[in-house]
Amino acid sequence: MPDLLHNLKPKKDYLICIDSDGCVINGMTVKHMKCFGPGIVEVFSLEEHREDILSYWNTINLYSSTRGINRFPGLVMALKYAIEKGYLDMDISQLVQWTTTTGELSNGSLDAWIEKMKAEKQTIPRCLELAKEWSLWVNYHVAELALAEKQAFLGAKKGIKEAKKSANVVVVSSANRRAVEEEWEDNQLMNDVDLLMTQEYGSKASCLEQLKSMGYKEDCILMVGDALGDMQAAKDAGVLFYPILSGREEESWEIFSNEVLPDFLAGCYREKGMEGWQRKMLEHLQ
């Protein structure tokens, strides 16, 4: 991992952390509909129940309170659903154990878990092998999506450029680093970013805690995200939060640039608007 202190020099007094998919990059929906969901159907041989599985996957990842969940806990939810419905007969206890005990929900961490089991002469459960196969299948097909399907939302570039004038800007995402880096480079956004903190750094809450430890004051750190998980991570870390509402992304970024960012830099966002925006997000993702 890159050294945080080195990557954030010269450190400014303010820090703005921004999620990627569904927040800045308009690729979340297409990735789930063309890659994540179809990958489960194919890898776990669920073609006979394709429509129901895809509907459930899209609901938990796009249209409900679990929007933005990391791929592996999302996979566990989908597999539990398939098992409860009688679509799948598989023991997923080892996959559940890994997702609930690992400090890093990534392909690398899953590989390390499997290698540890091999070293201990344990039989590798089919669920772990298929989870790895599915995740790699997803990465391959996400990389194959056309650039036009992964454009930044209107207003996001302006908001990030405005933020960079007065604050350090860090991408905090649960996606894999290669995908995030490619998408931000393709959208000419990397020059306005100080650091990418992706799934390899741990959970979003852990990322925020690591950044806080560098000396930023709590009310000088703002997390911007499109999912309740982003809001919870900010709450857990004790930092500020502003939502990009799904389906209203352009409007959300315009408000960020014109209202939220000035209030944040003036030190009055927590009292002036944050609670109201949090309520709107909760209503939006019920």
Side-chain angles (χ1 to χ4, degrees), residues 54-246:
L54 294 184
S55 176
Y56 181 78
W57 179 265
N58 292 335
T59 295
I60 63 174
N61 285 280
L62 298 172
Y63 309 124
S64 69
S65 61
T66 50
R67 175 183 170 89
I69 190 172
N70 176 277
R71 67 175 65 183
F72 291 110
L75 175 63
V76 167
M77 291 178 68
L79 294 180
K80 284 183 175 179
Y81 176 80
I83 291 168
E84 289 168 2
K85 284 283 192 175
Y87 303 159
L88 183 67
D89 181 14
M90 180 178 291
D91 179 4
I92 64 169
S93 58
Q94 283 288 338
L95 180 60
V96 172
Q97 183 181 353
W98 171 69
T99 59
T100 54
T101 58
T102 183
E104 179 187 309
L105 289 162
S106 67
N107 286 343
S109 175
L110 179 56
D111 283 338
W113 182 273
I114 292 173
E115 289 306 311
K116 179 176 181 291
M117 292 184 72
K118 288 180 179 178
E120 295 172 351
K121 309 297 183 183
Q122 297 184 52
T123 300
I124 308 304
R126 184 66 173 151
C127 65
L128 293 183
E129 294 177 334
L130 291 180
K132 177 180 177 179
E133 180 183 338
W134 167 76
S135 189
L136 294 174
W137 191 100
V138 168
N139 286 353
Y140 173 82
H141 286 83
V142 165
E144 291 295 299
L145 292 173
L147 176 58
E149 296 181 284
K150 297 180 285 186
Q151 291 294 297
F153 289 109
L154 291 176
K157 288 184 181 181
K158 175 186 174 183
I160 294 168
K161 285 186 178 296
E162 288 298 314
K164 190 64 168 63
K165 292 177 182 178
S166 303
N168 284 121
V169 175
V170 175
V171 179
V172 176
S173 169
S174 61
N176 73 83
R177 181 180 180 86
R178 180 180 176 185
V180 173
E181 192 167 24
E182 287 179 350
E183 289 161 12
W184 283 62
E185 285 178 346
D186 286 340
N187 281 280
Q188 292 83 51
L189 289 167
M190 285 299 291
N191 288 339
D192 296 309
V193 172
D194 294 291
L195 181 69
L196 299 181
M197 293 189 78
T198 48
Q199 60 184 212
E200 296 80 7
Y201 283 89
S203 69
K204 290 180 181 178
S206 174
C207 290
L208 293 174
E209 289 289 356
Q210 291 174 58
L211 292 165
K212 268 182 66 177
S213 71
M214 296 175 61
Y216 293 101
K217 296 178 181 178
E218 288 184 349
D219 278 10
C220 291
I221 303 176
L222 176 66
M223 176 70 196
V224 180
D226 63 297
L228 293 183
D230 299 320
M231 185 168 75
Q232 186 62 48
K235 182 179 179 180
D236 290 345
V239 305
L240 305 175
F241 177 75
Y242 172 70
I244 301 298
L245 300 180
S246 59

